[in-house]
Amino acid sequence: MTSKIVTAAMLAIGDELLSGRTKDKNIGHLADVLLLSGIDLKEVRIVSDEEDAIVEALNALRSRYTYVFTSGGIGPTHDDITADAVSKAFGLPCEHDAEAMRILGEMYKRREMEFTEARQRMARMPRGARHIANPVSTAPGFIVENVFVMAGVPQVFQAMVDNILPELQTGARMLTRSLPCGYGEGDIGTLLAAIQKTHPETSIGSYPKYDGKRFSTELVVRAREQDKLDAAADAILDMIRQLDYARAQGNSGPEA
Amino acid sequence: MTSKIVTAAMLAIGDELLSGRTKDKNIGHLADVLLLSGIDLKEVRIVSDEEDAIVEALNALRSRYTYVFTSGGIGPTHDDITADAVSKAFGLPCEHDAEAMRILGEMYKRREMEFTEARQRMARMPRGARHIANPVSTAPGFIVENVFVMAGVPQVFQAMVDNILPELQTGARMLTRSLPCGYGEGDIGTLLAAIQKTHPETSIGSYPKYDGKRFSTELVVRAREQDKLDAAADAILDMIRQLDYARAQGNSGPEA
């Protein structure tokens, strides 16, 4: 196991995500996949279908993280401007890729459909970009340096993510352990802060839950080494046992 | 109706959103609410529980948009650092707010619970911040200039959003009309681009749908004036009728 840290950002592109019309499903999917691959997703941005917004976000993210994954804006309509924006960000011409034209042309021919000007838009990408195969609807995504440009339709996005995974560097996988805790954050906050201090190579997260009546928490320990993870988790389980004991003595109740 | 444009960004804070452990529900909720209020949500960022990341994102967003809404990181545990980060972004001291201490102290006294050091953390905010009332669990959110700091637990976030709405400036409400279209983007892309060009005061979005076999689209027209909206929608309905006619003549099929 390597201890290298591999980082990533996601840039989700589309007015429909900001208008509430579409509830994004790709961010959560990518987060799940990257966690399993040991790649730290550090930041997500959602921007509208505006070239300047896409270019600026992409340039900020690609210089900062190992990988940037984008979703959306690579279809055939006038509001699909991701290929243009990515080209601009890299200072590359955006042109009809010969291989993409070929596979799209063949697909439409096979289906006895016209390869319209709009459909040909889907073959446009920055000069020299590599393809990301699209087994669902043929039109490829593409890769420029550390930027992976994929479709917004969740079925296509997920298929493209599957296709790029084998070529990604993976980091030391972050190990996690989730501990349900019947006490609210107010009961455990000070104790938990002390546990975090004595286990600096772990990251302890506390996530409040509210069932309409009372708060509980889910405590999540993350570490890159199993023994560090176990030691912090044991300390948390001890804390919960002590609180249970105190509650049995009538000293405290499990609320926020 | 005013024609003023009011813009907003959202900053969702929390490792759990980036690890896939929690699928965010607040972004979609805020997007829905802002759309109804005529406030343009222009950008969303999700960052981890790291002070530098929060400060940088907040400063970038608050200078650019009319409002910034944050979610997460205002609970009682050590990883709740939003109050500190917001204070740092504004160059203000972060301190226990007297009124917040009072209402939290009373609440815990009423519930015969100890007002622990951890719980007192929930009273910390930048000096001079105004409160956002929290009818669910008492601990207030807060407002500094154009930044609205709210909880991450969806029930609390939503209650806080309800509480701030009356004081937000609202813009000319964006009118939208959604038109289902049985044709894929490849069939309509060129026609739709032409319609967009002749209706420049509208924004026409095309959102592909895929049912596992074939693509269709949802076409969404947005405009701030009803007559502009109607004219563009009529042009789109004409386009669909013409495609239906062509299909009936055997010229084209409804695919991507």
Side-chain angles (χ1 to χ4, degrees):
Chain A
M1 182 186 288
T2 168
S3 64
K4 189 177 45 177
I5 308 293
V6 183
T7 60
M10 174 161 177
L11 177 61
I13 298 163
D15 291 345
E16 71 277 19
L17 302 171
L18 295 168
S19 70
R21 218 192 52 82
T22 298
K23 307 291 183 237
D24 173 83
K25 292 176 183 163
N26 296 329
I27 297 170
H29 177 77
L30 186 71
D32 287 338
V33 168
L34 294 183
L35 185 75
L36 292 172
S37 304
I39 297 173
D40 281 359
L41 180 61
K42 300 293 285 180
E43 183 172 351
V44 175
R45 298 193 189 184
I46 308 175
V47 297
S48 64
D49 298 307
E50 292 174 19
E51 190 171 87
D52 290 348
I54 301 169
V55 170
E56 187 195 328
L58 193 63
N59 281 335
L61 298 173
R62 72 188 179 93
S63 63
R64 191 173 301 182
Y65 304 108
T66 315
Y67 298 118
V68 179
F69 304 97
T70 81
S71 67
I74 62 169
T77 56
H78 64 279
D79 57 346
D80 291 307
I81 59 167
T82 298
D84 300 274
V86 174
S87 301
K88 192 170 175 187
F90 281 100
L92 292 168
C94 186
E95 45 191 33
H96 289 86
D97 177 88
E99 174 64 9
M101 287 294 283
R102 190 185 66 74
I103 59 176
L104 282 166
E106 279 179 5
M107 184 268 285
Y108 285 113
K109 191 174 179 187
R110 202 165 53 242
R111 293 163 71 183
E112 299 181 353
M113 292 164 67
E114 195 187 343
F115 190 24
T116 58
E117 185 190 329
R119 290 182 174 123
Q120 292 178 26
R121 275 180 67 81
M122 293 188 286
R124 294 172 74 247
M125 55 183 76
R127 182 183 293 172
R130 291 185 294 130
H131 289 200
I132 301 172
N134 170 0
V136 178
S137 53
T138 306
F142 57 85
I143 306 169
V144 185
E145 295 181 15
N146 62 337
V147 176
F148 295 73
V149 177
M150 295 178 283
V153 176
Q155 294 94 330
V156 182
F157 180 82
Q158 291 172 21
M160 288 182 171
V161 169
D162 290 342
N163 282 339
I164 60 174
L165 273 183
E167 77 166 82
L168 300 179
Q169 309 171 53
T170 54
R173 184 171 154 197
M174 186 66 87
L175 306 168
T176 72
R177 187 154 159 205
S178 188
L179 304 166
C181 171
Y183 297 90
E185 292 196 315
D187 281 308
I188 59 173
T190 305
L191 298 168
L192 206 62
I195 293 172
Q196 174 70 82
K197 250 183 201 161
T198 54
H199 295 82
E201 290 178 84
T202 68
S203 161
I204 302 174
S206 162
Y207 306 111
K209 293 183 170 185
Y210 182 68
D211 67 3
K213 282 191 172 175
R214 56 184 58 219
F215 281 86
S216 60
T217 45
E218 190 176 350
L219 302 177
V220 179
V221 190
R222 293 190 189 84
R224 296 199 188 268
E225 292 170 50
Q226 188 69 49
D227 58 335
K228 302 281 198 303
L229 184 82
D230 291 341
D234 286 347
I236 289 171
L237 291 171
D238 267 351
M239 173 194 80
I240 294 174
R241 271 191 292 273
Q242 284 168 26
L243 287 168
D244 286 345
Y245 180 80
R247 182 168 55 180
Q249 308 295 310
N251 289 336
S252 181
E255 311 223 9
Chain B
M1 183 187 287
T2 167
S3 63
K4 190 177 45 182
I5 309 293
V6 183
T7 59
M10 174 162 176
L11 177 61
I13 298 162
D15 291 346
E16 71 278 18
L17 302 170
L18 295 169
S19 71
R21 216 193 52 83
T22 298
K23 306 290 184 241
D24 174 83
K25 291 176 184 164
N26 296 329
I27 296 170
H29 177 76
L30 186 71
D32 287 337
V33 168
L34 294 182
L35 185 75
L36 292 173
S37 302
I39 297 173
D40 281 359
L41 180 61
K42 300 293 284 180
E43 183 172 351
V44 175
R45 297 193 190 183
I46 308 175
V47 297
S48 64
D49 299 307
E50 293 172 19
E51 190 171 88
D52 290 348
I54 301 169
V55 170
E56 187 196 327
L58 193 63
N59 280 336
L61 297 172
R62 72 188 179 92
S63 62
R64 190 173 302 183
Y65 303 108
T66 316
Y67 298 117
V68 179
F69 304 97
T70 81
S71 67
I74 62 169
T77 56
H78 64 280
D79 58 346
D80 291 307
I81 60 167
T82 298
D84 300 274
V86 174
S87 301
K88 191 169 176 186
F90 280 99
L92 291 168
C94 186
E95 45 192 33
H96 289 87
D97 178 86
E99 175 64 8
M101 287 294 283
R102 190 184 66 73
I103 59 176
L104 281 166
E106 279 180 5
M107 184 267 285
Y108 286 113
K109 191 174 178 188
R110 202 165 53 242
R111 293 162 71 182
E112 299 181 352
M113 292 165 68
E114 195 187 343
F115 190 24
T116 58
E117 185 188 328
R119 291 182 175 125
Q120 291 178 27
R121 276 180 66 80
M122 293 188 286
R124 295 172 73 247
M125 56 183 75
R127 183 184 292 172
R130 291 185 296 129
H131 288 199
I132 301 171
N134 170 359
V136 177
S137 53
T138 306
F142 57 85
I143 306 168
V144 185
E145 296 182 14
N146 63 336
V147 175
F148 295 74
V149 177
M150 296 177 284
V153 176
Q155 294 93 330
V156 182
F157 180 81
Q158 291 171 21
M160 287 181 172
V161 168
D162 289 343
N163 282 338
I164 60 174
L165 274 182
E167 78 166 81
L168 300 179
Q169 309 170 52
T170 53
R173 185 174 154 194
M174 187 67 88
L175 306 169
T176 72
R177 188 156 160 204
S178 188
L179 303 167
C181 172
Y183 298 90
E185 291 195 315
D187 281 308
I188 59 173
T190 306
L191 297 168
L192 206 62
I195 293 173
Q196 174 69 82
K197 250 183 202 162
T198 55
H199 295 82
E201 291 178 83
T202 68
S203 161
I204 302 173
S206 163
Y207 306 110
K209 293 183 170 184
Y210 182 69
D211 67 3
K213 282 192 172 172
R214 57 183 59 222
F215 281 84
S216 59
T217 46
E218 190 175 352
L219 302 177
V220 179
V221 190
R222 293 190 189 84
R224 296 199 189 269
E225 292 170 51
Q226 188 69 49
D227 57 336
K228 303 280 199 300
L229 183 82
D230 292 341
D234 287 347
I236 289 171
L237 291 171
D238 267 351
M239 174 193 80
I240 294 173
R241 272 190 293 270
Q242 285 168 25
L243 288 168
D244 286 345
Y245 180 80
R247 182 169 56 180
Q249 308 295 309
N251 291 335
S252 180
E255 311 222 9

